Amino acid sequence: IYQHDSHEFCSFFMDGLHEDCNRVKSKPYVEDLEGFGIPDDKIAIESWRLHLLRHNSIIVDHCQGMLRNHVTCPICGRESIKFDVFSSISVPLITSKNQAPIPLTDCLEKFTEGEQLDENNAWYCPKCKRHVCALKMLAVWSLPDILIIHLKRFMYETKNGKVVRSKIEDKVLFPIDNLDMSEFLLGPINEEAPPNYNLFGVSEHTGTTANSGHYTATVRNSQDGKWYRYNDSHVGSSSGEA
């Protein structure tokens, strides 16, 4: 089991909570909705409505947002726009040559940059009727009350027919209070509830490889506002800066 299991477990656990708490007992069939040529706000509302026909729980209420997924065929120019629901955002780390700390905002900016899909992730173009290495653009359309950001520290590369696993050890800088996500939000912003977030917990991996190591957690108590460090069965005082 490789050391992506902290994020994988979080996703698995939240999916399980959602299914157990799902208010929808009989799920209707829902087709994927493609919105090219339709105003974003209309297709986003409709996509969320269709999502709620099958998924309606406390996890959906507080932990899910939507991404705008824009794919363009490099051959014929055919475009596809869909709105995908997410429970966490996985952002890449931009390593620096001088090993300077990486601002979280740089990671978020990289997440929203366009990327050329490779052959292993090719998109099927309905006009060309074949898989193509399309240009993909992601944008955050809406954000949940509770935002989970996953730092993609583990890299998997194929060299000489073998998968080489490594870990990015660079330090990532992020605010303990008032992470303003406004500049990364493409959808409408509620002025009465701006997308500002306060950190309440971090899951941390100790180790140099993707297939070994140890996880601990630093969490802010919602009752007294103090920080605590959890290491297996041991709990001790900590600080947000730690």
Side-chain angles (χ1 to χ4, degrees), residues 38-57:
I38 304 174
D40 282 348
D41 56 345
K42 291 185 178 180
I43 196 65
I45 292 173
E46 181 62 13
S47 296
W48 187 252
R49 186 189 72 81
L50 293 176
H51 178 67
L52 293 180
L53 292 178
R54 294 174 56 87
H55 307 280
N56 191 342
S57 70

Side-chain angles (χ1 to χ4, degrees), residues 1 85 89:
I1 297 177
V85 175
I89 296 178

Side-chain angles (χ1 to χ4, degrees), residues 103-114:
L104 179 61
T105 51
D106 288 1
C107 303
L108 290 166
E109 287 176 0
K110 185 65 177 179
F111 173 77
T112 56
E113 285 183 2

Side-chain angles (χ1 to χ4, degrees), residues 4-29:
H4 272 302
D5 51 4
S6 176
H7 179 243
E8 289 176 354
F9 174 75
C10 179
S11 300
F12 174 80
F13 182 66
M14 291 180 65
D15 286 344
L17 281 178
H18 160 67
E19 290 299 338
D20 286 347
C21 299
N22 198 352
R23 304 177 186 106
V24 179
K25 303 306 178 183
S26 180
K27 296 182 180 181
Y29 172 75

Side-chain angles (χ1 to χ4, degrees), residues 17 39 63 65 70 96 108 116 133 150 162 173 178 192 194 196 199 201 215 218 221 231 238:
L17 281 178
C63 303
H70 187 177
S96 56
L108 290 166
Q116 193 84 30
C133 295
H150 167 227
K162 295 182 179 180
L173 298 178
N178 297 318
E192 297 182 358
N196 295 333
L199 182 69
Y215 276 102
T218 305
N221 188 297
N231 185 353
S238 184

Side-chain angles (χ1 to χ4, degrees), residues 105-139:
T105 51
D106 288 1
C107 303
L108 290 166
E109 287 176 0
K110 185 65 177 179
F111 173 77
T112 56
E113 285 183 2
E115 65 169 328
Q116 193 84 30
L117 299 179
D118 57 29
E119 294 181 354
N120 294 326
N121 298 288
W123 173 69
Y124 182 80
C125 176
K127 186 175 181 180
C128 295
K129 299 189 183 303
R130 63 189 178 103
H131 287 87
V132 297
C133 295
L135 176 65
K136 180 179 180 179
M137 296 280 294
L138 286 177

